[in-house]
Amino acid sequence: MKEWEGLTTVEEMEAATAALLENGKKVGADSWQQRVKNQTPHCGFGEAGTCCRICSMGPCRITPKAPRGICGCDVHGIVGRNYLRFTAGGAATHSDHGRTICHTLYETREGGNYQVKDPEKLKRIAGEWGVETEGKDIYDLAHEVALMALEEYGKPFGISRWLSRAPEHTRELWKNYDVEPRAIDREVSQSMHMTHMGCSSMPEALIHQAMRAGLCDGWGGSMCGTEFSDVLFGTPKPIDTEANLGVMKEDHVNIIVHGHDPSLSEMIVLHAQDPEFIELAKAQGAKGINIAGVCCTSNEVTMRHGIPMAGNFLQQENVVLTGACEAVVVDVQCIFPALGPLSKCFHTKFITTSEIARIPDSEFIQFNEKTAGENAKQIVKAAVENFKNRKPELVHIPNIKHKARVGYSLEAIKTELDGVTNSHVDELGTLKPLADVVKAGVLRGAVAMVGCNNPKVRPDTAHIELMKKLLKNDIILIVTGCSAQAAAKAGLMDPELAPKYCGEGIQRVCKLVGIPPVLHMGSCVDISRMMVLVADLAKDWGCNISQLPAVGCAPEWMSEKAVSIGNYVVATGIDTYLGVDPYTKGSSEVTELLQGENGVKKHLEANFTVELDIEKLGDRMIEAIEQKRKALGLNS
């Protein structure tokens, strides 16, 4: 059988995109491909992190002729400050997402716009936090826990409540290195203060705070976002869906939800099923309403409702270029401002909904937790009534899509694994079978692959080719965000097709458990699920997180959020491999702190590896996993 036969190749995806770009040329549409050309070559100072613009005496650029900025800061301080500011931006963004979810939880009530869909998870979290649950009304409990969660953002004393989930060894490392995150907003604020003109310029101090700021995201704001989204909308369970641009339907009203906050998309999915709007769609000449997603909003609704995934970050323009998109509805993060003028080239409505993401050439409909239902109805109605404005000659939907099984929350993974053992450890299942197959060598280990697309890397290629390489070597993949969508688009989440081309060990596990070889764990905020997964696995195994034969990887990352994520993954004890340089190569000292043996690794037992050659990046991950196996005394 031909290797990887039946899967969709990157070349096929690129051919589909090329056809859409030709469609765009008919109406003079712009594209990111052309804008990349216009911006190339990129600024070498910026890429090296050696340009400083945090005061108006500059900007200062470090060169052999000018080795210090006007204030006297050297290249190591400038690169370190830039890195910390990058981290603070990402931590603020993910954590603000979590804050919104906490506010939404506070607005829950019986019969309201939002209700508690997983009361048992709410009770478990309340128990972790020392809240009495016996005999308490579930909505009173929701309000009490929501307030406690919101206090995590600004409490004057103490450390993050979520840290108690980590193994004792990891908590000791954090305490000894003094990186335990305090109030979430405090870490972001202190990061900005430290990087103000005239404050920190010592690389060690700046990278130390970058680790703590990352932890306030992964073991703070992001964990709030993930855990309370499950409480609100339901903890994901395995569900079948489809992925790639072929999920759009020519004879339906197509509404694309894009961004990261599930509060909005959940309402749109609910009201798009309203018989009144379906009848209205038919009156406009459509057969029905089709919701599809882009980016992490897509991941949120697909893992709870099976809503199809139209694509990831660099496909957001493609949905408009099909000419069959009635509305792109966005909330926050990773949204191209280009969608405004692009939508005007077609009939598409570009609808923004958050004061955090105000974008030119959009129709703004303010979304609010208290008026969520009415907001969603207004949006769906506007999209449906726009169907009649389509131009049939511009409609082109690529015939390209794949089946995908998604929705592997930590609880779902434990439950699935529990099905292959006779002993039920507890009501939530067990990770023991996973540990057993890794110890036995059936699986060599695991890679948590995350992150965005980036035009600096041939889009999706790094994700897909690395996955194929790892799967052939019996290394299972746990994925989130745009990496998850790359796998789904290629067919690597099809539980019937993909395992056939994997190593023998993964084939056996997939057949026994009934899972695909690449497990969809959610959106980028849900990388916090991965942290709890490795924490629980280390506890069950009886080893430290850093000893597990598992690594993290972000081969196509591009956002500030990804830097924050990388920091908290490393700070949790997981070696992390990057396919795009984090703008630190201008400083040998910062590079050593992040990537060397005597930097953060000395304190946190993990570090970064940057390798721009994707084939070599895969080899280095495999080598690292085998070294961890050897250190544990596992068979070769």
Side-chain angles (χ1 to χ4, degrees):
M1 184 179 291
K2 184 180 177 182
E3 189 174 50
W4 305 109
E5 185 177 7
L7 299 183
T8 300
T9 65
V10 172
E11 288 76 13
E12 289 171 317
M13 295 184 203
E14 289 174 336
T17 295
L20 290 173
L21 292 176
E22 287 299 316
N23 206 37
K25 286 180 181 179
K26 299 175 185 176
V27 290
D30 192 14
S31 71
W32 67 259
Q33 289 88 346
Q34 183 57 48
R35 295 192 296 274
V36 167
K37 292 179 182 177
N38 295 342
Q39 287 292 336
T40 306
H42 298 293
C43 171
F45 294 100
E47 286 192 320
T50 58
C51 175
C52 181
R53 51 176 299 277
I54 64 172
C55 80
S56 66
M57 293 192 294
C60 295
R61 300 179 300 179
I62 301 302
T63 67
K65 178 183 176 181
R68 291 182 181 270
I70 292 169
C71 72
C73 188
D74 66 12
V75 69
H76 310 298
I78 288 173
V79 171
R81 289 193 304 209
N82 287 335
Y83 186 82
L84 177 52
R85 285 208 162 197
F86 223 68
T87 302
T93 302
H94 259 168
S95 295
D96 210 34
H97 171 169
R99 189 196 325 258
T100 299
I101 297 299
C102 294
H103 276 290
T104 304
L105 180 64
Y106 189 77
E107 293 297 329
T108 57
R109 60 183 175 85
E110 189 68 48
N113 285 314
Y114 296 103
Q115 300 171 40
V116 172
K117 295 287 181 67
D118 193 338
E120 294 307 312
K121 183 157 192 174
L122 176 60
K123 291 175 183 177
R124 290 198 303 274
I125 295 170
E128 286 183 49
W129 288 5
V131 178
E132 180 57 52
T133 63
E134 189 67 31
K136 192 171 289 184
D137 177 82
I138 198 65
Y139 289 98
D140 289 341
L141 182 63
H143 301 157
E144 184 176 355
V145 171
L147 278 175
M148 292 178 71
L150 287 167
E151 287 169 356
E152 288 293 291
Y153 285 81
K155 62 186 182 184
F157 306 107
I159 58 176
S160 172
R161 293 179 181 275
W162 296 113
L163 300 189
S164 62
R165 292 181 162 191
E168 183 178 351
H169 175 80
T170 304
R171 297 201 304 270
E172 281 297 312
L173 291 176
W174 292 337
K175 185 175 182 178
N176 292 338
Y177 191 39
D178 193 25
V179 291
E180 294 170 303
R182 301 156 297 184
I184 296 164
D185 289 347
R186 179 178 180 180
E187 302 306 351
V188 174
S189 178
Q190 182 164 312
S191 298
M192 297 305 291
H193 188 179
M194 285 180 69
T195 55
H196 189 275
M197 191 274 156
C199 289
S200 290
S201 56
M202 183 183 291
E204 295 89 341
L206 295 161
I207 298 307
H208 175 272
Q209 178 61 18
M211 293 296 116
R212 186 156 56 181
L215 285 169
C216 90
D217 171 3
W219 291 86
S222 278
M223 207 162 282
C224 285
T226 292
E227 297 296 88
F228 296 126
S229 288
D230 287 354
V231 170
L232 281 162
F233 310 123
T235 301
K237 300 176 182 178
I239 187 171
D240 290 333
T241 186
E242 294 180 319
N244 222 327
L245 290 164
V247 303
M248 297 180 70
K249 298 180 179 180
E250 188 170 347
D251 54 6
H252 279 59
V253 173
N254 288 298
I255 302 175
I256 300 295
V257 290
H258 172 25
H260 288 74
D261 186 349
S263 303
L264 167 67
S265 53
E266 284 280 332
M267 286 290 105
I268 290 176
V269 169
L270 173 66
H271 290 289
Q273 300 168 5
D274 189 324
E276 177 185 346
F277 288 127
I278 293 174
E279 286 304 312
L280 179 61
K282 291 179 179 178
Q284 304 294 314
K287 289 185 178 179
I289 302 172
N290 180 45
I291 307 291
V294 167
C295 254
C296 281
T297 286
S298 175
N299 284 315
E300 296 280 4
V301 292
T302 194
M303 66 182 176
R304 293 189 175 96
H305 304 287
I307 297 299
M309 297 180 279
N312 46 9
F313 176 63
L314 285 180
Q315 278 189 283
Q316 61 185 277
E317 291 176 322
N318 286 9
V319 296
V320 178
L321 289 168
T322 64
C325 179
E326 274 59 61
V328 178
V329 186
V330 302
D331 42 73
V332 294
Q333 302 172 27
C334 298
I335 300 151
F336 277 0
L339 289 176
L342 176 62
S343 294
K344 294 177 76 172
C345 293
F346 293 86
H347 76 297
T348 305
K349 284 183 175 291
F350 177 43
I351 301 174
T352 53
T353 61
S354 172
E355 62 184 4
I356 293 171
R358 296 299 306 271
I359 302 174
D361 295 314
S362 67
E363 179 179 340
F364 182 60
I365 299 176
Q366 176 76 60
F367 181 77
N368 184 285
E369 292 90 350
K370 295 184 189 313
T371 59
E374 291 307 311
N375 297 148
K377 288 179 182 179
Q378 183 183 357
I379 290 167
V380 173
K381 185 172 186 288
V384 169
E385 291 178 340
N386 195 30
F387 181 80
K388 62 180 179 292
N389 296 320
R390 262 197 206 178
K391 298 177 181 177
E393 68 275 13
L394 292 178
V395 173
H396 175 78
I397 300 175
N399 184 24
I400 182 171
K401 65 180 178 179
H402 256 295
K403 294 179 182 178
R405 184 164 295 166
V406 300
Y408 288 93
S409 61
L410 174 59
E411 291 86 345
I413 290 173
K414 286 185 175 182
T415 301
E416 294 282 292
L417 291 170
D418 201 33
V420 301
T421 180
N422 293 323
S423 60
H424 292 265
V425 174
D426 57 46
E427 70 220 19
L428 296 177
T430 174
L431 290 173
K432 185 177 182 299
L434 177 60
D436 288 345
V437 295
V438 176
K439 289 176 182 178
V442 177
L443 296 181
R444 308 305 296 172
V447 170
M449 194 171 294
V450 304
C452 332
N453 299 129
N454 191 323
K456 290 184 176 181
V457 181
R458 187 180 176 191
D460 290 333
T461 304
H463 292 299
I464 293 170
E465 295 308 314
L466 279 174
M467 287 178 193
K468 289 178 177 178
K469 184 183 186 77
L470 296 166
L471 293 173
K472 291 290 284 185
N473 283 274
D474 283 323
I475 296 170
I476 198 164
L477 275 299
I478 300 171
V479 296
T480 60
C482 289
S483 182
Q485 290 164 325
K489 291 189 300 177
L492 291 171
M493 287 182 182
D494 185 334
E496 296 179 3
L497 177 63
K500 298 176 183 177
Y501 308 106
C502 300
E504 292 183 6
I506 288 188
Q507 289 188 42
R508 288 163 59 192
V509 171
C510 289
K511 183 177 180 181
L512 182 64
V513 187
I515 58 174
V518 179
L519 298 179
H520 179 288
M521 213 169 190
S523 65
C524 56
V525 81
D526 292 330
I527 296 168
S528 58
R529 294 191 200 276
M530 295 176 174
M531 300 304 97
V532 183
L533 172 62
V534 294
D536 287 357
L537 188 57
K539 292 174 190 175
D540 289 349
W541 194 311
C543 68
N544 302 331
I545 290 176
S546 60
Q547 294 175 296
L548 293 171
V551 301
C553 180
E556 300 182 27
W557 76 271
M558 64 85 203
S559 74
E560 292 173 316
K561 294 181 300 178
V563 174
S564 178
I565 291 166
N567 287 348
Y568 75 68
V569 173
V570 165
T572 301
I574 305 168
D575 289 314
T576 299
Y577 292 74
L578 306 177
V580 176
D581 188 87
Y583 293 172
T584 56
K585 63 185 178 183
S587 166
S588 58
E589 291 184 18
V590 172
T591 298
E592 173 61 27
L593 286 165
L594 293 172
Q595 301 179 42
E597 294 296 319
N598 295 310
V600 296
K601 185 155 193 170
K602 184 169 63 175
H603 304 282
L604 300 169
E605 301 181 347
N607 63 3
F608 289 101
T609 295
V610 179
E611 176 54 73
L612 307 188
D613 184 311
I614 296 304
E615 187 69 23
K616 292 179 181 177
L617 187 67
D619 290 336
R620 294 182 73 170
M621 285 192 287
I622 294 169
E623 180 184 1
I625 286 171
E626 291 300 331
Q627 286 178 350
K628 287 175 182 285
R629 292 185 61 83
K630 184 177 180 181
L632 286 167
L634 301 179
N635 66 314
S636 60

